Amino acid sequence: MTGMGGVQKYSAVVLGAGGVGKSALVMRYGKNMFLEQYDPTIEEEYDLTVEYEGKRSRLEITDTAGVEQFTGINESYIQKGMGFVLVFSLIQQASLKDVDHILQQIYRIRGGEEDIPIVVVGTKMDLTGEREVSSQQIQELAVQWGLPFYETSAKKGWHVNEAFNHLLGRMRRRYPDGMPRGQKHRKKDGQCLVM
């Protein structure tokens, strides 16, 4: 069963440590703009219509706060998301550990679900002189985790579309009918979460 005009809807969640460039990545993909200054994100949602492989899809992207604020809120993203972009910075070795942590959370929360659409993205590829994560390390992790990795630069626009489109392709294969009708990410209206 398809929605209006047969355009399927998919939801992707962008997760990673604070300051690795999640928002810059999403802005480059969604609006083809580069976000110059860092402004910590609480939560942003983007609703895009994407043309990929000759087919249109609606893609709802949730850009989340950094992992150091990893709370029950992120758990609800992981429960609802159809696909995930896990972001680390190529100039910040420690941010890879955060991705590993998030990956474990996804597998724990989704309870051994098979074939969850996930793409791992390294940002700031243009800052070659400051690079801490080697391509070899990335290749080893790609094999170990069994996930596609992309090295990107939101500033230069390198490989950003490829990473998101790859995720969209994986979500389409995993969920051919798109998001179940009536399921909608709801904005939390000033809700207070007591832990």
Side-chain angles (χ1 to χ4, degrees), residues 120-141:
V120 183
V121 174
T123 57
K124 309 184 185 184
M125 181 188 183
D126 53 302
L127 302 177
T128 44
E130 300 170 54
R131 188 171 176 138
E132 289 185 3
V133 181
S134 71
S135 292
Q136 185 186 347
Q137 190 180 359
I138 287 172
Q139 282 162 352
E140 286 165 9
L141 280 175

PDB file of all heavy atoms in Angstrom, residues 120-141:
ATOM      1  N   VAL A 120      27.863   4.525   8.285  1.00  0.00           N
ATOM      2  CA  VAL A 120      28.785   5.226   9.185  1.00  0.00           C
ATOM      3  C   VAL A 120      29.509   6.302   8.368  1.00  0.00           C
ATOM      4  O   VAL A 120      30.026   6.019   7.291  1.00  0.00           O
ATOM      5  CB  VAL A 120      29.802   4.246   9.813  1.00  0.00           C
ATOM      6  CG1 VAL A 120      30.701   4.971  10.810  1.00  0.00           C
ATOM      7  CG2 VAL A 120      29.079   3.089  10.502  1.00  0.00           C
ATOM      8  N   VAL A 121      29.515   7.514   8.911  1.00  0.00           N
ATOM      9  CA  VAL A 121      30.065   8.644   8.162  1.00  0.00           C
ATOM     10  C   VAL A 121      31.151   9.359   8.960  1.00  0.00           C
ATOM     11  O   VAL A 121      30.926   9.787  10.088  1.00  0.00           O
ATOM     12  CB  VAL A 121      28.937   9.643   7.805  1.00  0.00           C
ATOM     13  CG1 VAL A 121      29.500  10.892   7.151  1.00  0.00           C
ATOM     14  CG2 VAL A 121      27.920   8.982   6.872  1.00  0.00           C
ATOM     15  N   GLY A 122      32.320   9.486   8.352  1.00  0.00           N
ATOM     16  CA  GLY A 122      33.406  10.279   8.922  1.00  0.00           C
ATOM     17  C   GLY A 122      33.363  11.660   8.280  1.00  0.00           C
ATOM     18  O   GLY A 122      33.285  11.776   7.062  1.00  0.00           O
ATOM     19  N   THR A 123      33.390  12.704   9.105  1.00  0.00           N
ATOM     20  CA  THR A 123      33.301  14.073   8.597  1.00  0.00           C
ATOM     21  C   THR A 123      34.666  14.754   8.588  1.00  0.00           C
ATOM     22  O   THR A 123      35.636  14.225   9.130  1.00  0.00           O
ATOM     23  CB  THR A 123      32.354  14.902   9.486  1.00  0.00           C
ATOM     24  OG1 THR A 123      32.845  14.848  10.829  1.00  0.00           O
ATOM     25  CG2 THR A 123      30.932  14.362   9.446  1.00  0.00           C
ATOM     26  N   LYS A 124      34.698  15.946   8.010  1.00  0.00           N
ATOM     27  CA  LYS A 124      35.880  16.828   8.026  1.00  0.00           C
ATOM     28  C   LYS A 124      37.059  16.237   7.239  1.00  0.00           C
ATOM     29  O   LYS A 124      38.216  16.395   7.614  1.00  0.00           O
ATOM     30  CB  LYS A 124      36.275  17.201   9.463  1.00  0.00           C
ATOM     31  CG  LYS A 124      35.059  17.739  10.242  1.00  0.00           C
ATOM     32  CD  LYS A 124      35.361  18.227  11.629  1.00  0.00           C
ATOM     33  CE  LYS A 124      34.060  18.610  12.327  1.00  0.00           C
ATOM     34  NZ  LYS A 124      34.231  19.175  13.643  1.00  0.00           N
ATOM     35  N   MET A 125      36.731  15.541   6.158  1.00  0.00           N
ATOM     36  CA  MET A 125      37.720  14.925   5.284  1.00  0.00           C
ATOM     37  C   MET A 125      38.669  15.958   4.668  1.00  0.00           C
ATOM     38  O   MET A 125      39.797  15.645   4.312  1.00  0.00           O
ATOM     39  CB  MET A 125      36.947  14.196   4.175  1.00  0.00           C
ATOM     40  CG  MET A 125      37.774  13.469   3.174  1.00  0.00           C
ATOM     41  SD  MET A 125      36.667  12.890   1.844  1.00  0.00           S
ATOM     42  CE  MET A 125      37.870  11.994   0.865  1.00  0.00           C
ATOM     43  N   ASP A 126      38.177  17.196   4.552  1.00  0.00           N
ATOM     44  CA  ASP A 126      39.010  18.257   3.943  1.00  0.00           C
ATOM     45  C   ASP A 126      40.161  18.697   4.857  1.00  0.00           C
ATOM     46  O   ASP A 126      41.130  19.278   4.395  1.00  0.00           O
ATOM     47  CB  ASP A 126      38.145  19.471   3.570  1.00  0.00           C
ATOM     48  CG  ASP A 126      37.302  19.967   4.746  1.00  0.00           C
ATOM     49  OD1 ASP A 126      36.518  19.171   5.287  1.00  0.00           O
ATOM     50  OD2 ASP A 126      37.452  21.128   5.133  1.00  0.00           O
ATOM     51  N   LEU A 127      40.071  18.408   6.152  1.00  0.00           N
ATOM     52  CA  LEU A 127      41.110  18.838   7.098  1.00  0.00           C
ATOM     53  C   LEU A 127      42.209  17.770   7.195  1.00  0.00           C
ATOM     54  O   LEU A 127      42.452  17.198   8.259  1.00  0.00           O
ATOM     55  CB  LEU A 127      40.494  19.111   8.475  1.00  0.00           C
ATOM     56  CG  LEU A 127      39.379  20.165   8.511  1.00  0.00           C
ATOM     57  CD1 LEU A 127      38.800  20.302   9.913  1.00  0.00           C
ATOM     58  CD2 LEU A 127      39.883  21.520   8.019  1.00  0.00           C
ATOM     59  N   THR A 128      42.850  17.500   6.076  1.00  0.00           N
ATOM     60  CA  THR A 128      43.801  16.385   5.981  1.00  0.00           C
ATOM     61  C   THR A 128      44.934  16.493   6.991  1.00  0.00           C
ATOM     62  O   THR A 128      45.358  15.492   7.551  1.00  0.00           O
ATOM     63  CB  THR A 128      44.397  16.277   4.564  1.00  0.00           C
ATOM     64  OG1 THR A 128      44.732  17.597   4.136  1.00  0.00           O
ATOM     65  CG2 THR A 128      43.398  15.685   3.591  1.00  0.00           C
ATOM     66  N   GLY A 129      45.427  17.699   7.252  1.00  0.00           N
ATOM     67  CA  GLY A 129      46.545  17.883   8.173  1.00  0.00           C
ATOM     68  C   GLY A 129      46.223  17.528   9.609  1.00  0.00           C
ATOM     69  O   GLY A 129      47.112  17.241  10.407  1.00  0.00           O
ATOM     70  N   GLU A 130      44.924  17.549   9.951  1.00  0.00           N
ATOM     71  CA  GLU A 130      44.528  17.291  11.350  1.00  0.00           C
ATOM     72  C   GLU A 130      43.973  15.883  11.540  1.00  0.00           C
ATOM     73  O   GLU A 130      43.528  15.532  12.627  1.00  0.00           O
ATOM     74  CB  GLU A 130      43.448  18.303  11.766  1.00  0.00           C
ATOM     75  CG  GLU A 130      43.906  19.746  11.681  1.00  0.00           C
ATOM     76  CD  GLU A 130      42.737  20.703  11.867  1.00  0.00           C
ATOM     77  OE1 GLU A 130      42.038  20.573  12.895  1.00  0.00           O
ATOM     78  OE2 GLU A 130      42.513  21.557  10.998  1.00  0.00           O
ATOM     79  N   ARG A 131      44.006  15.104  10.501  1.00  0.00           N
ATOM     80  CA  ARG A 131      43.365  13.789  10.524  1.00  0.00           C
ATOM     81  C   ARG A 131      43.970  12.853  11.574  1.00  0.00           C
ATOM     82  O   ARG A 131      45.178  12.712  11.673  1.00  0.00           O
ATOM     83  CB  ARG A 131      43.490  13.170   9.126  1.00  0.00           C
ATOM     84  CG  ARG A 131      42.713  11.913   8.987  1.00  0.00           C
ATOM     85  CD  ARG A 131      42.687  11.466   7.546  1.00  0.00           C
ATOM     86  NE  ARG A 131      42.007  10.196   7.488  1.00  0.00           N
ATOM     87  CZ  ARG A 131      41.129   9.862   6.563  1.00  0.00           C
ATOM     88  NH1 ARG A 131      40.839  10.712   5.601  1.00  0.00           N
ATOM     89  NH2 ARG A 131      40.555   8.692   6.578  1.00  0.00           N
ATOM     90  N   GLU A 132      43.095  12.199  12.345  1.00  0.00           N
ATOM     91  CA  GLU A 132      43.548  11.235  13.364  1.00  0.00           C
ATOM     92  C   GLU A 132      43.110   9.809  13.042  1.00  0.00           C
ATOM     93  O   GLU A 132      43.644   8.859  13.587  1.00  0.00           O
ATOM     94  CB  GLU A 132      42.962  11.599  14.744  1.00  0.00           C
ATOM     95  CG  GLU A 132      43.553  12.846  15.370  1.00  0.00           C
ATOM     96  CD  GLU A 132      43.014  13.088  16.777  1.00  0.00           C
ATOM     97  OE1 GLU A 132      42.234  12.262  17.296  1.00  0.00           O
ATOM     98  OE2 GLU A 132      43.383  14.124  17.359  1.00  0.00           O
ATOM     99  N   VAL A 133      42.090   9.660  12.207  1.00  0.00           N
ATOM    100  CA  VAL A 133      41.553   8.336  11.885  1.00  0.00           C
ATOM    101  C   VAL A 133      42.024   7.955  10.485  1.00  0.00           C
ATOM    102  O   VAL A 133      41.708   8.640   9.521  1.00  0.00           O
ATOM    103  CB  VAL A 133      40.009   8.326  11.946  1.00  0.00           C
ATOM    104  CG1 VAL A 133      39.464   6.940  11.626  1.00  0.00           C
ATOM    105  CG2 VAL A 133      39.515   8.795  13.310  1.00  0.00           C
ATOM    106  N   SER A 134      42.773   6.864  10.387  1.00  0.00           N
ATOM    107  CA  SER A 134      43.329   6.479   9.091  1.00  0.00           C
ATOM    108  C   SER A 134      42.316   5.733   8.235  1.00  0.00           C
ATOM    109  O   SER A 134      41.389   5.106   8.748  1.00  0.00           O
ATOM    110  CB  SER A 134      44.558   5.590   9.284  1.00  0.00           C
ATOM    111  OG  SER A 134      44.147   4.320   9.751  1.00  0.00           O
ATOM    112  N   SER A 135      42.519   5.793   6.926  1.00  0.00           N
ATOM    113  CA  SER A 135      41.653   5.052   6.008  1.00  0.00           C
ATOM    114  C   SER A 135      41.739   3.554   6.274  1.00  0.00           C
ATOM    115  O   SER A 135      40.750   2.834   6.143  1.00  0.00           O
ATOM    116  CB  SER A 135      42.053   5.334   4.556  1.00  0.00           C
ATOM    117  OG  SER A 135      41.750   6.670   4.241  1.00  0.00           O
ATOM    118  N   GLN A 136      42.919   3.104   6.682  1.00  0.00           N
ATOM    119  CA  GLN A 136      43.093   1.676   6.962  1.00  0.00           C
ATOM    120  C   GLN A 136      42.228   1.261   8.152  1.00  0.00           C
ATOM    121  O   GLN A 136      41.568   0.213   8.135  1.00  0.00           O
ATOM    122  CB  GLN A 136      44.557   1.346   7.245  1.00  0.00           C
ATOM    123  CG  GLN A 136      44.780  -0.149   7.414  1.00  0.00           C
ATOM    124  CD  GLN A 136      46.197  -0.495   7.834  1.00  0.00           C
ATOM    125  OE1 GLN A 136      47.102   0.336   7.775  1.00  0.00           O
ATOM    126  NE2 GLN A 136      46.384  -1.726   8.278  1.00  0.00           N
ATOM    127  N   GLN A 137      42.224   2.104   9.175  1.00  0.00           N
ATOM    128  CA  GLN A 137      41.405   1.828  10.353  1.00  0.00           C
ATOM    129  C   GLN A 137      39.924   1.749   9.961  1.00  0.00           C
ATOM    130  O   GLN A 137      39.186   0.880  10.427  1.00  0.00           O
ATOM    131  CB  GLN A 137      41.621   2.947  11.379  1.00  0.00           C
ATOM    132  CG  GLN A 137      41.020   2.655  12.720  1.00  0.00           C
ATOM    133  CD  GLN A 137      41.245   3.782  13.712  1.00  0.00           C
ATOM    134  OE1 GLN A 137      41.879   4.794  13.403  1.00  0.00           O
ATOM    135  NE2 GLN A 137      40.727   3.619  14.905  1.00  0.00           N
ATOM    136  N   ILE A 138      39.520   2.653   9.071  1.00  0.00           N
ATOM    137  CA  ILE A 138      38.128   2.673   8.614  1.00  0.00           C
ATOM    138  C   ILE A 138      37.800   1.392   7.852  1.00  0.00           C
ATOM    139  O   ILE A 138      36.755   0.784   8.069  1.00  0.00           O
ATOM    140  CB  ILE A 138      37.877   3.926   7.744  1.00  0.00           C
ATOM    141  CG1 ILE A 138      37.831   5.158   8.664  1.00  0.00           C
ATOM    142  CG2 ILE A 138      36.592   3.796   6.945  1.00  0.00           C
ATOM    143  CD1 ILE A 138      37.777   6.469   7.936  1.00  0.00           C
ATOM    144  N   GLN A 139      38.716   0.968   6.991  1.00  0.00           N
ATOM    145  CA  GLN A 139      38.482  -0.265   6.233  1.00  0.00           C
ATOM    146  C   GLN A 139      38.355  -1.462   7.160  1.00  0.00           C
ATOM    147  O   GLN A 139      37.500  -2.326   6.970  1.00  0.00           O
ATOM    148  CB  GLN A 139      39.602  -0.488   5.208  1.00  0.00           C
ATOM    149  CG  GLN A 139      39.417   0.386   3.974  1.00  0.00           C
ATOM    150  CD  GLN A 139      40.688   0.525   3.150  1.00  0.00           C
ATOM    151  OE1 GLN A 139      41.769   0.100   3.552  1.00  0.00           O
ATOM    152  NE2 GLN A 139      40.559   1.130   1.984  1.00  0.00           N
ATOM    153  N   GLU A 140      39.207  -1.510   8.185  1.00  0.00           N
ATOM    154  CA  GLU A 140      39.142  -2.619   9.148  1.00  0.00           C
ATOM    155  C   GLU A 140      37.812  -2.623   9.899  1.00  0.00           C
ATOM    156  O   GLU A 140      37.195  -3.672  10.086  1.00  0.00           O
ATOM    157  CB  GLU A 140      40.319  -2.546  10.134  1.00  0.00           C
ATOM    158  CG  GLU A 140      41.645  -2.954   9.496  1.00  0.00           C
ATOM    159  CD  GLU A 140      42.866  -2.557  10.332  1.00  0.00           C
ATOM    160  OE1 GLU A 140      42.690  -2.122  11.495  1.00  0.00           O
ATOM    161  OE2 GLU A 140      43.991  -2.679   9.806  1.00  0.00           O
ATOM    162  N   LEU A 141      37.369  -1.426  10.319  1.00  0.00           N
ATOM    163  CA  LEU A 141      36.097  -1.341  11.047  1.00  0.00           C
ATOM    164  C   LEU A 141      34.912  -1.675  10.149  1.00  0.00           C
ATOM    165  O   LEU A 141      33.947  -2.299  10.593  1.00  0.00           O
ATOM    166  CB  LEU A 141      35.906   0.063  11.630  1.00  0.00           C
ATOM    167  CG  LEU A 141      36.653   0.340  12.929  1.00  0.00           C
ATOM    168  CD1 LEU A 141      36.480   1.790  13.331  1.00  0.00           C
ATOM    169  CD2 LEU A 141      36.178  -0.576  14.057  1.00  0.00           C
TER     170      LEU A 141
END
